[in-house]
Amino acid sequence: MAPAAAGRRAPITDWRPEDPEFWRTTGAPIARRNLYVSIFAEHVGFSVWSLWSVMVLFLGPAYGIDPAGKFLLTAVPAALGAVLRLPYTLAVARFGGRNWTIVSALMLLVPAVPMALLIEPGVSYATLMVLACLTGVGGGNFASSMANINLFFPERLKGRALGLNAGGGNLGVPAVQLVGLAVLATAGAAYPRLVPAVYLPLIVLAALAAARWLDNIPGARNEPGALREAARNSHTWVMSLLYIGTFGSFIGFGFAFGQVLQLQFHDRFPTPVDAAWLTFLGPLIGSLIRPLGGQLADRLGGARVTFWNFVAMAVGATLVLYAARDRSFPLYLAGFLALFVFSGIGNGSTYKMIPAIFRARAVTEAELTGDREAAERRARRLAGALIGIAGAVGASGGVLVNIAFRQSFLAAGTADAAYLAFIAFYALCFAVTWAVYLRPGPRKLSGV
């Protein structure tokens, strides 16, 4: 470590997490400190990204916005969040993890401050669309946070660290919905500006915590050509498709669930506060169960868990469709909670598949070239690039879910067409998983 200036912690000049002695004496405490702060900063970012899943519940008749317009307001944050994931991933190596976390946390003020000032009856729909889109900056924070924490831990501990980081971030969805519920239950639906206002001090605190306790890792760099090479690999697009089905479902349903409850069962949920009591449940369960997907993938294989997970999601969507047609709320809630549970498990299992795919290919490459070290280095390089691409593409599922609901309600006044589309997509996902990763044959990848 370099000598510290007065009152400041010394910057890291040497980082060797794979060295057992270095890790035990120096690396582990630093890595844990960075992980805890990263979880908090990412959690706040995810909450800001999810703000409009709550804000639409406040937009009553005085705002003059129909259900189709509200679904657009929850779609545009997902769209910008998906677009930003890739550049945010690259920003960590370019600017430093500590530096970028400070900047990305402060950027959350860009949507939060005007939302706290402007949202009231009479505000134009165009203004609301711009504000909703800007909250997408919170979606990029997940990618940069994961890329940063990945640098701190040795290979044997990355899975657990990344799982904790991802789960803590995902919990931002139910957290912001609980904040919305608290505002609805106390101040009432006339004060939507209080929800983003709650997050203003938390955003500042996240930036200050990053400045005080995070570190930049020396020598971190973006692998030249890795993204381009990964983009030419067919597994990148297969895994991106599967990640749309898992993470895309989680974030899409998290944004849409409150609206769908009110539209499908308006007699049971006549006011926003009635719906808000249940809105947070699904995202909470999906976030908490995410590590289980990774653990099951470790024991049973990522492809096998992912295959049966998509079968279960198709069954869950079928149950939701049947319950909606039969007007059975208990079945409907059970089906939707199942979709959240299995989207959470699938998030963990698909993430586990990515490094396993390239490890399997590295074994084959090493047998051909005789250079195992180079093959493993290339595998890690491509796996990192694939995670960035799949994360960006997968987040677009949040857009697709909300657009599917919007078009279904516009065309038929029900969500039946959207549920049928989800069933078909999950069937496609489990068919692709079997065909590419489970089907017996000479091209099957071992250990995926």
Side-chain angles (χ1 to χ4, degrees):
M1 309 288 272
R8 293 185 59 188
R9 193 175 62 257
I12 295 174
T13 56
D14 176 36
W15 191 250
R16 293 172 282 113
E18 300 297 343
D19 180 334
E21 182 62 20
F22 176 87
W23 178 254
R24 185 181 64 82
T25 59
T26 304
I30 294 174
R32 285 195 295 268
R33 184 185 70 239
N34 278 266
L35 174 61
Y36 300 150
V37 176
S38 176
I39 289 173
F40 173 65
E42 186 196 339
H43 178 91
V44 174
F46 237 97
S47 296
V48 171
W49 191 24
S50 309
L51 271 171
W52 284 88
S53 68
V54 174
M55 300 306 291
V56 292
L57 299 178
F58 288 85
L59 304 182
Y63 290 84
I65 304 171
D66 63 10
K70 291 181 182 180
F71 279 119
L72 275 183
L73 287 172
T74 51
V76 290
L80 183 61
V83 170
L84 291 179
R85 279 191 161 201
L86 205 51
Y88 268 55
T89 299
L90 300 175
V92 168
R94 177 68 179 84
F95 302 107
R98 170 185 177 273
N99 301 342
W100 184 250
T101 303
I102 297 169
V103 171
S104 62
L106 292 175
M107 285 176 65
L108 300 174
L109 295 171
V110 174
V113 170
M115 284 176 67
L117 295 174
L118 298 177
I119 298 181
E120 60 183 12
V123 64
S124 71
Y125 184 70
T127 300
L128 294 178
M129 281 288 285
V130 171
L131 294 176
C133 185
L134 288 174
T135 58
V137 297
N141 287 22
F142 176 87
S144 57
S145 179
M146 294 292 276
N148 185 40
I149 291 304
N150 186 60
L151 298 172
F152 280 92
F153 285 83
E155 288 295 328
R156 71 183 188 279
L157 299 177
K158 284 183 190 293
R160 182 173 182 272
L162 292 174
L164 289 171
N165 198 53
N170 289 172
L171 283 170
V173 183
V176 74
Q177 291 167 351
L178 284 170
V179 170
L181 172 62
V183 171
L184 284 168
T186 54
Y191 298 94
R193 294 186 290 185
L194 291 177
V195 180
V198 166
Y199 279 91
L200 295 179
L202 295 177
I203 292 168
V204 174
L205 182 59
L208 291 174
R212 177 65 181 85
W213 288 299
L214 288 190
D215 299 283
N216 295 318
I217 291 294
R221 64 189 182 92
N222 295 312
E223 292 282 355
L227 286 174
R228 187 165 53 250
E229 187 176 353
R232 292 196 296 264
N233 192 301
S234 60
H235 290 288
T236 297
W237 304 109
V238 172
M239 292 308 302
S240 295
L241 174 75
L242 301 184
Y243 203 54
I244 288 174
T246 56
F247 180 77
S249 294
F250 171 80
I251 199 66
F253 293 145
F255 283 9
F257 189 38
Q259 293 184 78
V260 174
L261 276 179
Q262 281 201 286
L263 291 170
Q264 296 264 227
F265 295 93
H266 184 69
D267 55 335
R268 186 180 285 264
F269 302 103
T271 67
V273 71
D274 295 317
W277 280 106
L278 284 175
T279 300
F280 74 94
L281 266 183
L284 176 64
I285 294 170
S287 301
L288 293 176
I289 207 165
R290 177 173 180 149
L292 178 62
Q295 293 168 10
L296 288 173
D298 284 339
R299 292 179 55 190
L300 305 173
R304 183 181 299 175
V305 173
T306 298
F307 172 82
W308 287 110
N309 192 75
F310 278 123
V311 172
M313 290 183 76
V315 172
T318 302
L319 182 61
V320 169
L321 173 63
Y322 172 80
R325 289 178 171 177
D326 201 47
R327 304 292 299 161
S328 171
F329 177 71
L331 275 180
Y332 185 85
L333 182 61
F336 236 117
L337 291 180
L339 287 173
F340 277 109
V341 166
F342 290 113
S343 66
I345 291 174
N347 281 340
S349 66
T350 50
Y351 244 75
K352 286 285 186 177
M353 287 176 67
I354 292 172
I357 289 167
F358 289 107
R359 277 198 303 269
R361 289 172 66 89
V363 170
T364 304
E365 183 179 330
E367 290 174 352
L368 294 174
T369 64
D371 190 344
R372 184 175 183 83
E373 184 178 342
E376 290 178 350
R377 188 166 57 249
R378 181 171 181 268
R380 288 193 296 270
R381 176 173 174 264
L382 289 178
L386 194 159
I387 287 172
I389 295 173
V393 176
S396 68
V399 184
L400 299 176
V401 167
N402 282 272
I403 293 299
F405 278 127
R406 178 181 185 273
Q407 294 306 118
S408 184
F409 279 111
L410 271 178
T414 71
D416 290 4
Y419 300 138
L420 288 170
F422 301 149
I423 294 166
F425 186 78
Y426 299 144
L428 171 66
C429 287
F430 69 66
V432 167
T433 304
W434 181 85
V436 179
Y437 299 114
L438 293 175
R439 181 174 57 178
R443 300 184 66 182
K444 182 183 177 184
L445 295 174
S446 176
V448 176

